[in-house]
Amino acid sequence: MRTEKSEALFQEAQAYIPGGVSSPVRAFKAVGGTPRYFVRGQGSRVWDADGNAYIDYVGSWGPLILGHAHPAVVERVTQVAQEGLTYGAPHPLEIELAKLVRAAYPMAELVRFVNSGTEATMSALRLARGYTGRPYIVKFRGNYHGHADGLLVEAGSGALTLGRPSSAGVPEEYARLTLVAEYNDPEGLAALFQRYGEEIAAVIFEPVVGNSGVLEPTPEFLEALRDLTQTHGALLIADEVMTGFRLAFGGATERYGLEPDLITLGKILGGGLPAAAYAGRREIMAQVAPLGPVYQAGTLSGNPLAMAAGVATLEILRTHPEYYQQLEALGAELERGLNEVLHATGTPGTVNRVGSMITVFFCEGPVRRYQDAVRTDVEVFKRFFHGLLKRGVYWPPSAFEAAFLSVAHTPEDLEKTLEAARAALA
Ligand SMILES: *Cc1c(COP(=O)(O)O)cnc(C)c1O
């Protein structure tokens, strides 16, 4: 496989862009080697600058549930682009997309559009604090909610640890307002509420974790989240930026019958263009400006192109409920195949999957919490990743990410992927 062009581009990029990339994980630091410059995508395939084709399991990190360059999405965006790119004024497509969000999430009575998942969670937290008048928020170790200051926080040790910044530039004073608990640990969460209960504005969580690799919530954990927040007057924020429209049309909220007060959406919502949202009951969302005192704004928010891509994508998903069965079946097939490959090659490992999100942890299972996930053997992952890459399979370049299936993936794609996986781990 020739990669001269990607290598030259990456060299040149580093002279102009920090690390050569617009988002850190793209730089391949966790796996080594040179990131590929993709210049074309169609269905389940991407092509790099050197002309190599890959079966893609990144899907732009989640948005591309319909595959690359779905004709209906491209057509809708092209049409709208010809009319004008942006106005900084309300646009009819915002109403269409908000209606589709409410169709998926009946609790989303009011929807505010923003440009990224980061903005959505940041704004949802501000709203929760404005609505409750309380200072603290609770997040879970290893859950990722974008890079807003108060969310770039990890735990020290134990569930009662005050938040510590996981990035330079986040003041301790600020991180202290973020309490960190252990995912799938109802007792730890209860202890946190016992101590800080009346000062907690909100609990934010990934309803299925994708950002420590895939971790599924236990029913007891989901129950504790709802009960404890309700009892103590805190808001429950389901961060569905990754899971929204992916695990069902109504996301994890539909799949698990959740009752969050607020949700955040992104990724699939924008159909491949930058759009995200936070949404919830009218009573809470009415605190947002211009209706209420919680300020939040955006020059390009509700951008017509992004709205068009989102509307086209969600309309297809809404009218094709069978796609979710198809993704479930493909996911089950990939899971079964990967388990077989692990077994056949004598590689210790565990496959975690929920619907079309899947992670191979290279350690003995079960993997239910963050501290289980970090036991994965990153050296084996690197061999797995590069073994796939050189055989034309693009897997997420980090051991702690979810791989994504799209409706464009075929059983033949899976067969080829499993062959590559077997060779990579042999
Ligand atoms: C990707 C992601 C975000 C951040 O979204 P960006 O658009 O990258 O800012 C937030 N929460 C979750 C659960 C995500 O997966």
Side-chain angles (χ1 to χ4, degrees):
M1 182 179 277
R2 308 183 62 124
T3 58
E4 288 90 347
K5 290 199 173 125
S6 278
E7 278 165 38
L9 286 164
F10 191 48
Q11 277 303 318
E12 190 182 7
Q14 290 176 72
Y16 299 96
I17 300 168
V21 291
S22 299
S23 194
V25 72
R26 297 179 195 173
F28 273 29
K29 277 225 159 164
V31 288
T34 303
R36 302 301 192 263
Y37 276 72
F38 295 121
V39 293
R40 194 160 83 78
Q42 190 65 61
S44 62
R45 304 285 158 129
V46 285
W47 286 264
D48 70 15
D50 293 278
N52 304 302
Y54 305 82
I55 304 168
D56 179 26
Y57 289 93
V58 176
S60 192
W61 299 96
L64 300 182
I65 194 167
L66 299 179
H68 288 268
H70 189 286
V73 179
V74 172
E75 192 190 322
R76 193 81 180 251
V77 170
T78 309
Q79 247 171 22
V80 172
Q82 279 163 350
E83 305 290 331
L85 298 181
T86 176
Y87 309 97
H91 191 279
L93 284 170
E94 292 167 75
I95 308 167
E96 280 195 49
L97 191 57
K99 282 182 177 171
L100 284 160
V101 169
R102 200 200 287 180
Y105 293 86
M107 51 70 74
E109 291 174 343
L110 293 177
V111 184
R112 170 55 63 82
F113 292 111
V114 293
N115 305 287
S116 69
T118 294
E119 261 185 274
T121 57
M122 178 185 83
S123 308
L125 292 186
R126 183 181 302 142
L127 172 57
R129 285 175 166 138
Y131 178 78
T132 60
R134 299 173 176 189
Y136 288 103
I137 62 125
V138 176
K139 77 176 286 287
F140 296 96
R141 193 149 68 107
N143 281 201
Y144 179 70
H145 303 289
H147 63 88
D149 281 352
L151 287 166
L152 272 187
V153 170
E154 62 186 356
S157 60
L160 287 174
T161 313
L162 287 171
R164 268 199 334 224
S166 50
S167 164
V170 177
E172 295 273 354
E173 291 82 351
Y174 199 69
R176 206 168 293 142
L177 296 175
T178 303
L179 306 170
V180 182
E182 225 36 83
Y183 199 80
N184 274 340
D185 175 14
E187 291 80 23
L189 187 64
L192 204 58
F193 265 99
Q194 200 148 47
R195 181 150 162 203
Y196 294 97
E198 312 316 309
E199 291 181 281
I200 294 172
V203 177
I204 187 167
F205 74 112
E206 286 187 69
V208 168
V209 182
N211 290 296
S212 312
V214 174
L215 307 176
E216 187 162 23
T218 62
E220 298 74 31
F221 178 62
L222 293 175
E223 207 170 299
L225 277 168
R226 185 62 282 180
D227 288 351
L228 287 165
T229 46
Q230 216 148 43
T231 304
H232 293 271
L235 298 187
L236 183 60
I237 305 173
D239 181 359
E240 291 236 41
V241 170
M242 184 184 287
T243 51
F245 312 107
R246 176 165 287 283
L247 296 183
F249 185 56
T253 296
E254 176 186 326
R255 190 176 177 119
Y256 295 97
L258 307 179
E259 294 171 6
D261 300 296
L262 291 172
I263 53 164
T264 50
L265 297 167
K267 298 194 169 121
I268 292 173
L269 178 74
L273 288 180
Y278 59 108
R281 289 199 311 278
R282 179 174 300 274
E283 173 216 358
I284 303 171
M285 291 298 292
Q287 297 299 308
V288 177
L291 283 181
V294 177
Y295 193 71
Q296 183 271 310
T299 301
L300 290 172
S301 292
N303 172 264
L305 270 58
M307 297 295 105
V311 166
T313 300
L314 297 197
E315 272 178 355
I316 291 169
L317 292 172
R318 186 173 55 111
T319 51
H320 290 82
E322 76 278 10
Y323 278 177
Y324 291 100
Q325 283 138 36
Q326 187 182 321
L327 287 166
E328 187 67 45
L330 273 177
E333 185 58 36
L334 184 59
E335 178 184 357
R336 190 162 43 239
L338 286 167
N339 274 318
E340 244 172 53
V341 166
L342 290 172
H343 186 74
T345 56
T347 313
T350 307
V351 182
N352 276 14
R353 178 186 70 87
V354 179
S356 53
M357 296 166 55
I358 192 162
T359 299
V360 185
F361 293 101
F362 292 101
C363 57
E364 299 293 349
V367 178
R368 295 206 182 94
R369 294 183 184 182
Y370 180 74
Q371 67 261 37
D372 303 326
V374 296
R375 289 191 294 112
T376 192
D377 188 331
V378 292
E379 292 307 317
V380 177
F381 176 79
K382 281 184 204 175
R383 288 205 293 279
F384 176 69
F385 171 81
H386 282 289
L388 289 178
L389 188 69
K390 72 180 181 195
R391 293 175 178 87
V393 176
Y394 190 64
W395 201 258
S398 155
F400 304 102
E401 302 284 355
F404 297 108
L405 285 158
S406 76
V407 298
H409 285 83
T410 62
E412 295 72 48
D413 287 338
L414 263 52
E415 232 170 83
K416 193 169 172 228
T417 302
L418 292 170
E419 258 169 52
R422 188 180 300 265
L425 294 175

